[in-house]
Amino acid sequence: MITKEPSLPPNFIRNIIEEDLKTNKYEGRVATRFPPEPNGYLHIGHAKSICLNFGLAVEYEGTCNLRFDDTNPSKEESEYVQSIQNDVRWLGFDWKDRLFYASDYFEQLYAYAVQLIQIDKAYVDDLSAEEIREYRGTMTQQGKNSPYRTRSVDENLDLFRRMREGEFENGSRVLRAKIDMASPNLNMRDPVMYRILRSIHHRTDDRWCIYPMYDFAHCISDSIEGITHSICTLEFEDHRPLYDWFLDELKVYHPQQIEFARLNLSYTVMSKRKLRELVEQGYVAGWDDPRMPTISGIRKRGYTPESVRNFCERIGVARRDSMVDMALLEYCIREDLNLRAPRVMAVLHPLKVVIENYPEDRVEELEAVNNPEDPGMGSRKVPFSRVIYIEREDFREDAPKKFYRLAPGCEVRLRYGYYIKCEKVVKDEQTGEVIELRCSYDPETRGGWAADGRKVKGTLHWVSAAHSIPAQVRLYDRLFVKANPVEEKSDVDFKSYINPNSLEILESCRVEPSLNNATSGNRYQFERLGYFCVDSMDSRKGQPVFNRIVTLRDTWAKIEQKEKM
Ligand code: ATP
Ligand code: MG
């Protein structure tokens, strides 16, 4: 469970809450909610909202409800309800017994709608959807009243009851709030409150054929639950007058709506509709594909909940829209795993090295430190023998001056091992490809240090050929090549910016034998390569599958700089 952190920096929402606590506005209560629509999997933007709402509840010893905004039956599925609960729990938050559904309030919402009709603040309209749009006007042009706006209260009550009873066709009538067709705010031009829709609802089945609209259902749900601070994203700012209008006209308990800027993250897209497009059209393997910005994708990729919460705290909350660099999310996971993930050796592109002066039957157990950042993590033994693998790119035959790795005639250090020197290069006769190196080792350099103090230019990771185990490694990269794949005022499909190299599968990697016991979800630093996580679906004992969470350094910053040059 998450507990209150001692000194969190102020932000404008914390300031509002502190002020309300001072004036005792809600008798000292802080009650928030996270209200997802179950029409897709949650993404990292939702994580910001979850951390904010649940985080404030923890901080001020208040409550946070998980409320499914399930007023739109044609788009919602129970699968999403389940996944959303998993995701919130994984992030480390607990709604206790405060799980609600807007559909729990359908009967009450209906009663409130009747109440608005009775005070002549709502009416049944027979205009078609098309006509309603026409009558509404535009930003520069006033709307005009529907000819049905003047219906009597009794007629409206009768028609609304019959709407509920299923007497009318889908879409033939709606219930509208009677506000002001000349309002400069389009949301106030008699917004629709109810529509007729015959659809099976995941909880109320076919009991209803009319469904409330978001703006009507949301404020009332907040009011029923006694929410104090109803926190939502900026696009709802123009809806706030409507939020207030409904609650004021009904004279019910009135929470305060507060808007903040939504999270936009570079090199990805952040709308459920677009993410669904990627899933349904097969651009990714599913909602939880490790390249997706969904919480389930991030989890499968190997991110820790701590790193995501830390990211959300770092980006803070503001009232202005901005784009957060993906590099910050990556920084947060590196920072977390640097301290926690054991370091191991793995070779992704193996090149065979035979140490000619090392006895054939000898195996040494070399002492390797598990994490230099944390001596408490101890050490392990890594077997060393005559035939080892090193990384193919750690050898260059025509090495330039600044190549600090292995080259003919050069000496390097094997991590935790010995100094080795490249004596001979064996090539494939047909292709000329380097297939093996013949090296010598200096027995006086055990542990990686020479008694005579001579230095080498580099240190390589390696595994013993006979002792290492085979592994599949999946290198994930950013899903898009463009920082902002969704261009405003452009016809270019965001999918045309998909990174063609966002997934590379390496089938013949070798990892040190200690990884034989790696289990689903374990995270490691592969020395010099990055952070990796055991795949939760495809990994088997003796045949592990690893997902790369992130590289050790921000390689994208370099690429971008090169592009600018
Ligand atoms: P999407 O456009 O991706 O479908 P949404 O806003 O329709 O998102 P909801 O399920 O309605 O998704 O959102 C639940 C809560 O999460 C809302 O309070 C919403 O404001 C918040 N939220 C959604 N996207 C973001 C984001 N990118 N950053 C911060 N909060 C977000
Ligand atoms: Mg929505």
Side-chain angles (χ1 to χ4, degrees), residues 29-44:
R29 281 185 316 121
V30 174
T32 57
R33 85 285 171 269
F34 173 63
E37 184 182 349
N39 63 345
Y41 281 62
L42 298 183
H43 51 62
I44 181 87

Side-chain angles (χ1 to χ4, degrees), residues 34-37 43 45-46 49 233 260 262-263 270-272:
F34 173 63
E37 184 182 349
H43 51 62
H46 294 110
S49 177
T233 39
F260 71 100
R262 62 195 296 123
L263 168 66
M270 203 71 94
S271 100
K272 279 182 268 180

Side-chain angles (χ1 to χ4, degrees), residues 51 169 185 229 258 457 472 500 508 525:
C51 290
E169 292 290 298
N185 182 342
H229 302 85
I258 303 169
K457 277 183 170 176
Q472 188 196 82
S508 43
Q525 183 189 119

